[in-house]
Amino acid sequence: MTPTKPVLRVIDLQVSYYTEAGRALALDRVSLELYPGEKLGMVGESGCGKSTMALAMMRMIKPPGRIEGGQVFIDDVDLMTLPEAKMRKARLSLISYIPQGAMNSLNPVLRIEAQMRDAIKEHLPTMRDAEVQARIYEALESVELRREVARMYPHELSGGMKQRVCIAIGILLGPKVIIADEPTSALDVVTQRQVMETLDRVQKQLGAAMILIGHDMGLMAQFVDKVAVMYAGKFTEISPVRDIFTNPLHPYARALIESLPTLNNKGVFKGIPGLAPSLINRPSGCAFHPRCSEAMEICRTVTPALIEQRDGRRVACHLYDQPIRRADEPAIVASR
Amino acid sequence: MTPLLEFRNVTKIYSKGLLSRATTVALDDVSLRIEDDQPTIMTVAGESGSGKTTLAMLLLGFISPTHGQILYKGKDIAKLQGEERLAFRREVQAVFQDPFAVFNPFYTVDHLLSVPIEKFKLARSKREARDKMEEALNAVGLRPEDVLGRFPHQLSGGQRQRINVARALLLKPRLLVADEPVSMVDASLRATILESLRRMNREYGVSIIYITHDLTTAYHVANSIIVLYRGSVMEAGDIDCVIRDPQHPYTKLLIDSIPWPDVNRRWGQTEIKAREQDHGSVETGCKFASRCPFVMEACRKAPPPLYQVAAQQAAACYLYEKQPVLAREQLSQVLPV
């Protein structure tokens, strides 16, 4: 499968929160492309703007937050210019969002099928009841839940089952882009694997593009094709999953990888020194420079752009501004 | 020598409602001991509902066992009085999961740290109290000037959790119960917090019971591990043996499901049987039987005893019935320090 046209194009999306302490630039003109069937992992520390980006793409940013610019295309539709009524329709049918702790977002006094029917009726008011029912069963079965679950209330289900109900709602209308925000952070490892396998299967069935948000790098290694590392509202590196784990380019990405406990580094893994930056008083230049072990003079003053490298990876770091190797040298940047 | 802490056939049963007889066995006949002279880090691992938090609550004396005894330095903690009780309260400290929920938002960090100093009369002067606070903060890698005088909301989750560790350290405890101390902090900060726990163990001789469902971090900090499933010990032993070569089918499933941050180590392919809806029914056999891919006739009849599968490893599974039986009371023999 080699799709030629991206299904999702985010261009210069910018979001700020206006707080009493000042304006916090939570998302600083980020751009992204995603092809059908592709799975992107978006990682970064809490407060780096991952969830803000997801919410902005859904146009669900609430005051004091504001989307200040940018475009989000799904195929040829720019979500940012749609009237609100059309945007409501677009949610779930073009782009769906499985929020963090989604399992707690189910209405406790409604049966599962009632909540699913609401979602369908909102988009397809003319659909006949029998068809709606069939669609509900189909969605439940695709996440490996029995039909009887439709008649149950949320409290009768386990955490993993509730999370799968939320996935079923997310895919009810066959969206082209699915955003899952830490879909398994409250679940046990075994249940987590079950839920992720379910998500993987339905995503493949739909051929949808998917963005998985989280800070569990282990999950990313097992699940996604590409990883986008976010820091202080900007992407620092976007690379294929294998490259990010074996040869991270950006110093922040490298620190993130080195902070992971694996089977092979017992007792030597280490944290990233320093604290995540404030979004109100962002450090000048590259936001990571106060914590970066390789910061140079230029990093304090000039913000690095996200530049595509020769192997197609994208990095925003002054270490990679100039061609670092001659054309006859091997394409690996590990000389330091 | 009297062990620091001893669980003697501890069982905890919760009953639901006033009239109904439905009961849940949260912890089922667990015996273990932690020696006084050899500080260790022991992991208690399991999924939600495995009884790991019940074990922590029992250990801290917040709840009392239905059967069995918990001894601290040879004395039943339920019967501690006066001076002894105070000593127990000081020497056994805890760090809990949620660094956002344990702080009183109206008090500064100084207050949080000075209260235990006053209560336990650890310092004779303000100067000395201040020195002790700074020493404890330094030990967990925080700069006192960064955190003292601040309110909890001005601190990050990682800083708060390290302050919790510092507060525990201040009291020079003998035993620390850490219940999921890193599950709510960013991956990049986990290493720092775990490192402060390790230093506490190494440099201050504190034994730590590390309660978690995260076997990756357990592997990195602990010496030994006990794997619980619905209140029963499934497997126990040396952490390297158990993580690298698990024997019990449940432990295998758990370890197979860890998403290792390693693109060359894929998730396991073993099929997961859905967890059965349990209706509090009385089960006679192995608790894992309904989900076990190797289930046999015997598994449904009686719960398996612990079999010693290696010098430092035991598993409660009939697959190993040719191995010598390890009495439940002897569990600690396979746990290295």
Side-chain angles (χ1 to χ4, degrees), chain A residues 45-46 156 187-194 196 215-219 221-222 241-242 245-246 256 259-267 269-272 275, chain B residues 47-48 156 159 186-188 191-192 194 198 216 219-220 239-240 244 253-254 256-257 259-270 272 274-275 277 291:
Chain A
E45 289 163 285
S46 1
E156 296 176 90
L187 303 174
D188 293 314
V189 278
V190 178
T191 321
Q192 164 174 283
R193 196 179 116 202
Q194 273 176 309
M196 292 315 289
H215 59 226
D216 185 343
M217 292 296 278
L219 212 53
Q222 300 299 327
V241 66
R242 180 162 288 275
F245 279 93
T246 54
L256 210 55
S259 75
L260 301 172
T262 70
L263 263 183
N264 307 320
N265 65 353
K266 182 162 181 168
F269 73 109
K270 51 179 194 277
I272 305 177
L275 286 177
Chain B
E47 299 174 87
S48 31
S156 73
Q159 282 177 318
D186 265 329
S188 56
T192 331
L194 294 174
R198 260 218 308 242
T216 26
Y219 172 71
H220 279 264
I239 190 104
D240 285 285
R244 288 184 172 268
L253 174 66
L254 264 188
D256 218 21
S257 302
W260 291 98
D262 181 345
V263 278
N264 295 318
R265 196 187 157 95
R266 305 314 300 187
W267 247 337
Q269 298 301 313
T270 42
I272 305 167
R275 190 191 301 216
Q277 293 279 42
R291 297 175 74 191

Side-chain angles (χ1 to χ4, degrees), chain B residues 43-47 52 178-181 210-215 217-218:
Chain B
T43 287
V44 177
E47 299 174 87
K52 53 190 197 303
D179 190 355
E180 300 273 16
Y210 179 64
I211 295 175
T212 188
H213 69 262
D214 178 5
L215 294 173
T217 54

Side-chain angles (χ1 to χ4, degrees), chain A residues 58 84-96 115-127 132 135 169-170 172-175:
Chain A
M58 298 293 291
E84 188 50 43
K86 283 238 171 85
M87 187 62 216
R88 271 181 74 98
K89 300 262 181 211
R91 295 189 190 117
L92 274 194
S93 63
L94 283 182
I95 181 166
S96 73
Q115 309 191 35
M116 296 177 84
R117 193 180 299 124
D118 279 353
I120 300 176
K121 285 282 188 190
E122 176 72 26
H123 288 84
L124 306 162
T126 55
M127 195 187 240
V132 172
R135 180 75 71 94
I169 294 175
L172 260 182
L173 299 161

